Amino acid sequence: VYFYSAPDNFSEEMLRGKRVIVTGASSGIGEQMAYHLARMGAHVLLMARTEAKLQKVVERCLELGAASARFVSGSMENTAFAEEVVKEAENTWGGLDMLILNHIGYSYFNYFDGDVEHVRKLLETNFLSYVAMTVTALPMLKESEGSIVVVSSVAGKAGGPFIAPYSATKFALEGFFSSLRHEFIIDNVNVSITLCILGFIDTDSAMRVVSHAIRAAPSPKEECALEIIRSGALRQRELHYPPSIVTGMLLLRGLAPDLLDTLIRSNVIKSTRLEAQRGLGSMLRPCASLHVFSAFHCILLKEGMK
Ligand SMILES: NC(=O)C1=CN([C@@H]2O[C@H](COP(=O)(O)OP(=O)(O)OC[C@H]3O[C@@H](n4cnc5c(N)ncnc54)[C@H](OP(=O)(O)O)[C@@H]3O)[C@@H](O)[C@H]2O)C=CC1
Ligand SMILES: C[C@H](CCC(=O)O)[C@H]1CC[C@H]2[C@@H]3C(=O)C[C@@H]4C[C@H](O)CC[C@]4(C)[C@H]3CC[C@]12C
């Protein structure tokens, strides 16, 4: 908690006049980030596939006080489009201060079905396009000493059942961007990389897919979006949101990985098999175990304070 909590020196002024790209901004956390940035007076360039939704988000951003707001629509399955989005920022603003990589392609929630093409496509959308955008944006980010913010998940730190292709793409992000962070430090490149490790968030898409199968309440997307912007502006290495659950889980993974796996499995298998057989897909039930992580984490903290 100490190392991963944002210090209190964040000010919304830090984003005023900054030039920010937000991917996956037509809905969910990306849409909420666009609204926060707009309120803070940033210039925003938004990206997703659905033009009609993006148009509405842009209009709202302008009402909220964005310095400017525009969008580019297209699919990140194609890395050429990823480069095009960054070029649009270069042509419009002549520079870039923050690149927020947030979009994800469709993934099913069920036993891995052996479809290698789906894994390839998801890697292209959720991982390769992030790499392509970073490569194209890097000269501008070096110039502005800017920030890269990568939105990931607890599923990119610890595997759980029924999300194998999705989880693989999130692990790939961790590997790539933590390696890149080392290289930036070695070469004195002053571009920060913030990896955001998120738990269950109440976006429409996540609620649609898994809410029926999870007992714990999801965390609010509005607060999550603000925490992502804050951690990026403060150039933090990682964001854990919600902090107690994610940090507790990662702590247990380091101390007792088999115990973590057993807890996850023991909460999952029975219910999921039944639902999968009905063809509905389903969700692991890690909530009880995550409460155990949190309790465990609190005990450690209290002991530490003593
Ligand atoms: N919600 C949750 O519980 C959690 C979310 N996260 C992470 O947070 C981020 C945002 O998730 P969330 O807000 O829930 O997701 P949403 O499904 O709400 O939003 C996804 C966004 O990506 C866009 N998108 C989908 N496919 C493509 C594509 N092929 N090319 C370009 N854009 C695309 C969507 O718009 P359109 O359809 O118009 O293209 C949309 O704007 C993701 O990185 C996710 O992994 C992490 C942990 C938990
Ligand atoms: C249930 C998990 C954590 C438990 C908790 O109570 O916090 C969730 C943590 C990460 C989630 C998945 C994720 O990373 C995003 C995907 C987004 C899709 O749009 C829908 C479902 C997700 C697979 C989502 C499902 C819940 C988590 C595994």
Side-chain angles (χ1 to χ4, degrees):
V1 167
Y2 175 79
F3 284 109
Y4 293 110
S5 299
D8 281 332
N9 56 355
F10 174 74
S11 138
E12 300 202 340
E13 278 302 305
M14 289 165 114
L15 275 305
R16 184 168 303 282
K18 296 290 184 210
R19 301 154 296 182
V20 186
I21 294 179
V22 184
T23 72
S26 64
S27 63
I29 300 165
E31 177 184 358
Q32 297 305 319
M33 287 195 276
Y35 298 150
H36 284 303
L37 288 162
R39 263 194 314 100
M40 294 172 195
H43 295 273
V44 291
L45 175 61
L46 312 178
M47 188 290 307
R49 292 169 306 174
T50 319
E51 198 170 326
K53 284 195 203 166
L54 285 169
Q55 184 63 55
K56 285 193 181 145
V57 179
V58 160
E59 280 164 20
R60 182 91 187 103
C61 284
L62 291 170
E63 285 165 15
L64 288 169
S68 71
R70 48 195 294 130
F71 70 85
V72 197
S73 59
S75 175
M76 285 287 173
E77 276 168 43
N78 171 2
T79 48
F81 175 66
E83 289 156 19
E84 212 179 284
V85 176
V86 180
K87 293 280 176 213
E88 175 76 16
E90 191 169 15
N91 296 338
T92 314
W93 300 323
L96 180 67
D97 299 294
M98 189 180 275
L99 174 63
I100 304 184
L101 300 166
N102 165 76
H103 64 276
I104 42 167
Y106 169 76
S107 42
Y108 59 83
F109 185 78
N110 212 325
Y111 286 90
F112 177 52
D113 62 4
D115 183 352
V116 179
E117 266 319 298
H118 170 71
V119 181
R120 191 195 311 280
K121 206 165 142 185
L122 209 60
L123 274 166
E124 275 165 10
T125 307
N126 294 8
F127 172 62
L128 279 180
S129 68
Y130 282 41
V131 175
M133 287 192 84
T134 299
V135 170
T136 318
L138 204 50
M140 289 192 283
L141 291 172
K142 281 182 180 171
E143 176 77 30
S144 63
E145 304 200 325
S147 309
I148 301 168
V149 178
V150 179
V151 181
S152 187
S153 163
V154 292
K157 290 271 193 186
F162 311 118
I163 48 173
Y166 171 81
S167 185
T169 66
K170 294 298 190 186
F171 267 80
L173 290 173
E174 164 99 32
F176 181 84
F177 283 97
S178 357
S179 181
L180 202 63
R181 190 190 288 115
H182 278 294
E183 296 175 16
F184 285 0
I185 293 167
I186 292 167
D187 279 353
N188 291 319
V189 171
N190 194 9
V191 175
S192 62
I193 296 179
T194 301
L195 200 66
C196 304
I197 312 301
L198 310 182
F200 185 26
I201 312 297
D202 69 356
T203 62
D204 291 349
S205 62
M207 297 300 281
R208 214 172 21 245
V209 179
V210 295
S211 64
H212 63 283
I214 300 184
R215 275 184 224 111
S219 301
K221 56 181 184 284
E222 297 81 1
E223 184 183 66
C224 175
L226 185 57
E227 287 305 308
I228 294 174
I229 293 167
R230 195 176 140 91
S231 61
L234 292 172
R235 306 173 85 80
Q236 274 183 275
R237 174 198 172 88
E238 268 188 16
L239 165 72
H240 291 175
Y241 182 87
S244 56
I245 292 188
V246 175
T247 310
M249 184 172 173
L250 298 186
L251 205 60
L252 192 60
R253 185 195 59 157
L255 292 172
D258 285 340
L259 175 60
L260 173 63
D261 283 357
T262 307
L263 285 170
I264 291 174
R265 276 198 305 276
S266 67
N267 281 317
V268 170
I269 287 169
K270 262 191 193 162
S271 59
T272 340
R273 247 190 216 139
L274 286 173
E275 295 200 20
Q277 279 165 0
R278 292 210 311 261
L280 291 174
S282 156
M283 183 54 216
L284 57 166
R285 295 188 184 273
C287 313
S289 52
L290 288 170
H291 289 308
V292 174
F293 311 147
S294 300
F296 174 70
H297 180 232
C298 289
I299 291 166
L300 283 182
L301 272 180
K302 276 188 191 152
E303 289 305 312
M305 280 176 203
K306 275 186 207 160

